[in-house]
Amino acid sequence: TWTRTLEDGYLTEPYKVVSLIDPATGYTSGQLTELRPNTRLRRDVMASSVYHFDQDVFYLSYRYYWDDWGVKSHTLDARWRKPLLDGSWVQPHLRIYTQTAADFFRFGILQGDPLPAYATSDERLGPLHDVTIGATYGFHVDPWRGEWTIRGEFLEQWGDGHPASAVGAQRDINLFPPVGVGSLVVGYTVGD
């Protein structure tokens, strides 16, 4: 599949700020409200396939995304559904994602430098990577006719937290520290 989306309007996050950085110490000396362009052209191409073996089913998809803000990303998603002897099933899941930063992404603006036309420190527009691993277990319980599922996943996200542009104290810390998020979801699907 291929999609193209044009956004037009106020795209700035009004509560996001960009730090002004003292060029000698690397400490924050002030802040500015971020400013993003008023238009964004997004495009992506996605290929997906399902392989049905004798009993198992393998799902695989790949998505390439790019926009006129300079963000480019790759997403690979794989699931393998394996039936078990008692009518239940298990489905491991792996998702890998990586993206480049928007052209106007900054960890901060050096005090005294000319202000750029656009700037953001929003990590969602930064150079980031994430990996999700998990599994779903599905089963039936009499007398209910539906199916129960239990899904557990863990996502680890990190970025380039030690850029060459870091100054002073910034060189001693990770400006994009890793984030880990776990989830557990229980579901029930009504059957006939």
Side-chain angles (χ1 to χ4, degrees):
T1 61
W2 178 78
T3 61
R4 180 182 183 273
T5 306
L6 177 63
E7 297 175 1
D8 188 7
Y10 187 72
L11 303 178
T12 296
E13 296 274 345
Y15 303 107
K16 298 276 184 188
V17 297
V18 179
S19 297
L20 288 174
I21 306 297
D22 182 305
T25 65
Y27 292 114
T28 301
S29 60
Q31 65 186 26
L32 300 169
T33 301
E34 75 160 28
L35 183 61
R36 301 178 186 185
N38 289 331
T39 61
R40 187 176 190 184
L41 178 60
R42 301 171 180 251
R43 292 161 290 209
D44 73 84
V45 189
M46 185 168 133
S48 62
S49 190
V50 177
Y51 301 92
H52 195 267
F53 301 101
D54 288 339
Q55 307 235 347
D56 300 4
V57 180
F58 181 64
Y59 305 87
L60 182 65
S61 69
Y62 169 76
R63 177 179 178 252
Y64 176 66
Y65 167 93
W66 71 103
D67 65 28
D68 60 352
W69 286 6
V71 177
K72 294 180 178 81
S73 71
H74 301 272
T75 308
L76 182 66
D77 196 300
R79 299 167 196 264
W80 187 291
R81 184 171 169 142
K82 178 100 177 133
L84 303 175
L85 295 177
D86 59 358
S88 62
W89 53 270
V90 66
Q91 181 174 285
H93 175 222
L94 173 66
R95 179 182 180 271
I96 301 169
Y97 177 84
T98 185
Q99 84 174 28
T100 61
D103 296 334
F104 51 91
F105 175 83
R106 310 272 188 277
F107 284 107
I109 298 171
L110 294 180
Q111 192 171 11
D113 281 0
L115 295 179
Y118 304 110
T120 184
S121 291
D122 188 340
E123 292 179 345
R124 296 172 299 175
L125 292 173
L128 65 88
H129 316 279
D130 72 52
V131 173
T132 303
I133 57 171
T136 303
Y137 174 66
F139 59 97
H140 299 274
V141 178
D142 290 328
W144 294 302
R145 296 181 186 211
E147 180 178 63
W148 290 91
T149 57
I150 301 171
R151 183 179 74 230
E153 292 188 325
F154 182 77
L155 177 142
E156 180 80 18
Q157 183 180 79
W158 68 97
D160 177 14
H162 299 284
S165 61
V167 296
Q170 288 183 325
R171 292 187 185 119
D172 300 328
I173 59 173
N174 187 346
L175 299 175
F176 202 141
V179 175
V181 177
S183 66
L184 182 65
V185 178
V186 176
Y188 178 71
T189 304
V190 178
D192 296 346

